[in-house]
Amino acid sequence: ELNDEEKGAKKVNEYITHYFGHGFLTLEAHKDPENDKAIKFEILRNGKKAYHLSEGECSLVAFCYFMAKLEDTTTNGSKPIIWIDDPISSLDNNHIFFVYSIIKSRIFDCGNFEQLFISTHNLDFLKYLKRLDPKEHSKDVSYFLIERNNDSSHIKAMPNYLSKYVTE
C-alpha cells in the first residue's frame, strides 16, 4: 500500500503532466536510508536524477507540491485560508495561464477555501485572476498594493485603473 508521500509525489507528477505538459520532470518519494520513518524526494529529468534545476523548474515543482498538499489527508475536506505568494515567479509567459488554470480548477471552482489570497507582480497574471468570479461562492473580492517606502511597507487599495480594468 502506498504511503501519503508516494501518493503526493504521484499527484505532483499528475499536475506537472496534465496542467503544464512536462513529462520530462517527475518527483519520486524514497525512504531515507538513514531514517526508516523519513521520506526524501528526488526530482528526475527524463528518468535520471536532475541536477541544476532552473528557477522556473523549481517554482513549478514547488507549486505543484503545494497544490498536492492541499489535497492531503490533513487538509482535504477543510476550508483553509490559502495564501499563494507569486506562483508565477521565474516562470515564462507560457506557464502563466497554466498556473491560473490550476488555481481556478483545483481551488477556486471547488470552493475549498475560506479565504484566498494571491500575490503577484505580473500584470498578465493579474488579468487572469480578474476572471475569477467571487460571486460563484458568495465571496467578496478586494485588490491591494503593497508599497515599500524605505524600510517599511504599507498595504493600500489598488488604484481603479488596475482593479477595475484589464489593462493598465
Side-chain angles (χ1 to χ4, degrees):
E1 187 174 334
L2 296 174
N3 64 29
D4 286 341
E5 288 82 5
E6 289 169 331
K7 288 179 186 177
K10 285 182 180 184
K11 195 66 169 175
V12 169
N13 295 334
E14 178 185 315
Y15 286 141
I16 289 172
T17 302
H18 179 74
Y19 287 97
F20 299 100
H22 293 297
F24 58 89
L25 273 183
T26 56
L27 185 70
E28 286 187 355
H30 299 283
K31 287 186 179 181
D32 185 348
E34 298 171 10
N35 181 353
D36 288 347
K37 295 181 182 179
I39 299 291
K40 286 189 173 186
F41 291 104
E42 185 173 73
I43 298 174
L44 305 176
R45 183 184 286 122
N46 295 323
K48 297 178 184 170
K49 189 171 183 175
Y51 295 96
H52 312 295
L53 293 170
S54 71
E55 285 186 43
E57 289 172 325
C58 291
S59 294
L60 182 68
V61 171
F63 180 70
C64 290
Y65 181 78
F66 170 77
M67 293 302 300
K69 288 297 283 179
L70 286 176
E71 296 182 24
D72 75 5
T73 55
T74 58
T75 310
N76 197 13
S78 67
K79 289 194 173 234
I81 295 172
I82 301 170
W83 181 286
I84 302 174
D85 183 23
D86 202 11
I88 58 149
S89 177
S90 302
L91 294 178
D92 60 27
N93 286 338
N94 294 332
H95 291 93
I96 292 173
F97 177 77
F98 297 118
V99 170
Y100 161 76
S101 67
I102 197 171
I103 290 171
K104 181 177 182 339
S105 66
R106 304 305 298 171
I107 297 175
F108 191 80
D109 288 348
C110 298
N112 293 331
F113 60 92
E114 182 65 33
Q115 289 181 305
L116 176 61
F117 297 90
I118 304 172
S119 68
T120 187
H121 65 277
N122 186 294
L123 291 176
D124 290 327
F125 187 57
L126 179 62
K127 290 176 198 175
Y128 285 121
L129 293 175
K130 287 182 182 181
R131 294 180 179 183
L132 300 175
D133 185 4
K135 294 175 189 150
E136 291 178 24
H137 303 292
S138 300
K139 306 275 185 189
D140 293 326
V141 66
S142 298
Y143 295 99
F144 297 98
L145 284 175
I146 299 176
E147 186 176 89
R148 185 178 174 107
N149 294 321
N150 298 323
D151 62 345
S152 65
S153 297
H154 304 279
I155 298 174
K156 299 170 69 174
M158 187 178 285
N160 284 340
Y161 66 90
L162 284 174
S163 64
K164 291 187 177 182
Y165 306 105
V166 292
T167 65
E168 67 278 11

